[in-house]
Amino acid sequence: SQTIHQWPATLVQPVGSPLSLECTVEGTSNPNLYWYRQAAGRGLQLLFYSVGIGQISSEVPQNLSASRPQDRQFILSSKKLLLSDSGFYLCAWTKAQVSQETQYFGPGTRLLVL
Amino acid sequence: AQSVTQPDIHITVSEGASLELRCNYSYGATPYLFWYVQSPGQGLQLLLKYFSGDTLVQGIKGFEAEFKRSQSSFNLRKPSVHWSDAAEYFCAVGDSGGYQKVTFGTGTKLQVIP
């Protein structure tokens, strides 16, 4: 069966520091991968998605970037964190090229920028 | 562009009472519709989904939802709520694009009182 991992689970970082969040998927190949942010009291905002290695699409211009160095690895990064980057970051995957597929979510990373 | 509205930010029901969570969507064609549940500090779990066919969809944990095209709605229902149903519920609409873009509502937080 497929599983999705995210780490760290919780992170407290000072403003201006760099960020690296990691997401990995097991049990499937060539998944579509997604990064979402959930801010307090708001819904999920799609940040990035990827349909393959090195292929990243950005939905919202921001202080963050994403990379996909391996088929089942998706990384969310920032060079300098802002206070507004605080939130709950969720990684998700779907089977590629199957339009009716469900998104499966990881456990999330809670980021607090102080 | 597709959008989802969940008009109720917070709902409180008594244990054993019936529940209906509202969801309205905006989408040009026949939508793919989802309901997810999120327990505090956790990722999202799929409750049910509608792609086509029978407009009354059965999900896990005793939930069901009815797709009403004329009202652009996909309301979630449960005949008898349990204390363990307390969580946040997200309605989502997806399109048939190749990367499975899903737009989420802002969520409805459900509180269950004894």
Side-chain angles (χ1 to χ4, degrees), chain B residues 1 8 21 26-27 33 44 48 62 67 79 81 113:
Chain B
D8 303 308
L21 302 183
S26 173
Y27 186 67
L33 295 162
L44 276 70
L48 47 80
F67 169 59
V81 170
I113 56 177

Side-chain angles (χ1 to χ4, degrees), chain B residues 47-67:
Chain B
L47 284 176
L48 47 80
K49 60 186 177 183
Y50 170 79
F51 290 147
S52 64
D54 193 347
T55 56
L56 185 62
V57 181
Q58 301 298 319
I60 63 171
K61 304 184 180 184
F63 285 93
E64 66 178 26
E66 187 171 13
F67 169 59

Side-chain angles (χ1 to χ4, degrees), chain A residues 37-53:
Chain A
R37 177 170 57 203
Q38 185 179 25
R42 301 179 65 180
L44 277 74
Q45 180 185 35
L46 179 63
L47 302 176
F48 301 94
Y49 68 93
S50 171
V51 299
I53 296 174

Side-chain angles (χ1 to χ4, degrees), chain B residues 13-89:
Chain B
V13 299
S14 299
E15 191 168 16
S18 63
L19 171 70
E20 182 169 34
L21 302 183
R22 295 183 291 166
C23 172
N24 292 95
Y25 68 89
S26 173
Y27 186 67
T30 299
Y32 301 148
L33 295 162
F34 307 84
W35 274 100
Y36 285 87
V37 61
Q38 184 181 33
S39 298
Q42 302 297 313
L44 276 70
Q45 181 185 21
L46 180 71
L47 284 176
L48 47 80
K49 60 186 177 183
Y50 170 79
F51 290 147
S52 64
D54 193 347
T55 56
L56 185 62
V57 181
Q58 301 298 319
I60 63 171
K61 304 184 180 184
F63 285 93
E64 66 178 26
E66 187 171 13
F67 169 59
K68 292 185 177 180
R69 184 188 300 275
S70 61
Q71 299 178 19
S72 297
S73 69
F74 189 56
N75 294 349
L76 182 71
R77 301 193 295 248
K78 187 170 184 177
S80 178
V81 170
H82 188 261
W83 64 265
S84 60
D85 294 324
E88 190 157 19
Y89 292 80

